Coordinates of all heavy atoms in Angstrom, one line a residue:
D673 N -11.3 -6.7 -7.3 CA -10.2 -5.9 -7.6 C -8.9 -6.7 -8.0 O -8.2 -6.3 -8.9 CB -9.9 -5.0 -6.5 CG -10.9 -3.9 -6.2 OD1 -11.7 -3.7 -7.1 OD2 -10.9 -3.4 -5.1
A674 N -8.7 -7.7 -7.2 CA -7.4 -8.5 -7.3 C -7.3 -9.3 -8.7 O -6.2 -9.7 -9.0 CB -7.3 -9.6 -6.2
Q675 N -8.4 -9.3 -9.4 CA -8.3 -9.9 -10.8 C -7.5 -9.0 -11.6 O -6.9 -9.4 -12.7 CB -9.6 -10.2 -11.3 CG -10.4 -11.2 -10.5 CD -11.8 -11.4 -11.1 OE1 -11.9 -11.8 -12.3 NE2 -12.8 -11.4 -10.3
L676 N -7.5 -7.7 -11.4 CA -6.9 -6.7 -12.3 C -5.8 -5.9 -11.7 O -5.1 -5.3 -12.4 CB -8.0 -5.8 -12.9 CG -9.0 -6.5 -13.8 CD1 -10.1 -5.5 -14.3 CD2 -8.4 -7.2 -15.0
F677 N -5.9 -5.7 -10.3 CA -4.8 -4.9 -9.7 C -4.7 -5.3 -8.3 O -5.7 -5.9 -7.7 CB -5.0 -3.4 -9.9 CG -6.2 -2.9 -9.0 CD1 -6.0 -2.5 -7.7 CD2 -7.5 -2.9 -9.5 CE1 -7.0 -2.0 -6.9 CE2 -8.5 -2.4 -8.7 CZ -8.3 -2.0 -7.4
L678 N -3.5 -5.1 -7.7 CA -3.2 -5.4 -6.3 C -2.3 -4.2 -5.8 O -1.2 -4.0 -6.4 CB -2.6 -6.7 -6.1 CG -2.4 -7.1 -4.7 CD1 -3.7 -7.3 -3.9 CD2 -1.6 -8.5 -4.6
V679 N -2.6 -3.6 -4.8 CA -1.8 -2.5 -4.2 C -1.1 -3.0 -2.9 O -1.8 -3.6 -2.1 CB -2.6 -1.3 -3.8 CG1 -1.7 -0.1 -3.3 CG2 -3.3 -0.8 -5.1
D680 N 0.2 -2.9 -2.8 CA 0.9 -3.4 -1.6 C 0.7 -2.4 -0.5 O 1.2 -1.2 -0.5 CB 2.3 -3.5 -2.0 CG 3.2 -4.1 -0.8 OD1 2.6 -4.4 0.3 OD2 4.4 -4.2 -0.9
D681 N 0.0 -2.7 0.5 CA -0.3 -1.8 1.6 C 0.5 -2.1 2.9 O 0.2 -1.5 4.0 CB -1.9 -1.8 2.0 CG -2.3 -3.2 2.5 OD1 -1.5 -4.1 2.4 OD2 -3.5 -3.3 2.9
Q682 N 1.5 -2.9 2.7 CA 2.4 -3.2 3.9 C 3.6 -2.2 3.8 O 4.6 -2.5 3.3 CB 2.8 -4.6 3.8 CG 1.7 -5.7 3.9 CD 0.9 -5.6 5.2 OE1 1.5 -5.5 6.3 NE2 -0.4 -5.6 4.9
I683 N 3.4 -1.0 4.4 CA 4.3 0.0 4.4 C 4.8 0.3 5.8 O 3.9 0.7 6.6 CB 3.8 1.3 3.6 CG1 3.3 0.9 2.2 CG2 4.8 2.4 3.6 CD1 2.7 2.1 1.5
M684 N 6.1 0.3 6.0 CA 6.7 0.5 7.3 C 7.1 2.0 7.5 O 7.7 2.5 6.4 CB 7.8 -0.4 7.6 CG 7.4 -1.9 7.7 SD 6.3 -2.2 9.0 CE 7.3 -1.9 10.4
P685 N 6.8 2.7 8.6 CA 7.3 4.1 8.6 C 8.9 4.1 8.8 O 9.4 3.1 9.3 CB 6.7 4.5 9.9 CG 6.4 3.3 10.7 CD 6.1 2.2 9.8
P686 N 9.5 5.2 8.5 CA 10.9 5.3 8.8 C 11.2 5.3 10.3 O 10.4 5.7 11.0 CB 11.3 6.6 8.0 CG 10.0 7.4 7.9 CD 8.9 6.4 7.8
Y687 N 12.5 5.1 10.5 CA 12.9 5.1 12.0 C 12.8 6.5 12.6 O 12.4 6.8 13.6 CB 14.3 4.6 12.1 CG 14.9 4.6 13.5 CD1 14.4 3.8 14.5 CD2 15.8 5.6 13.9 CE1 14.8 3.9 15.8 CE2 16.3 5.7 15.2 CZ 15.9 4.8 16.1 OH 16.3 4.9 17.5

Side-chain angles (χ1 to χ4, degrees):
D673 290 342
Q675 297 181 51
L676 298 178
F677 72 89
L678 185 66
V679 180
D680 182 4
D681 63 353
Q682 301 300 312
I683 301 177
M684 297 297 294
Y687 176 73

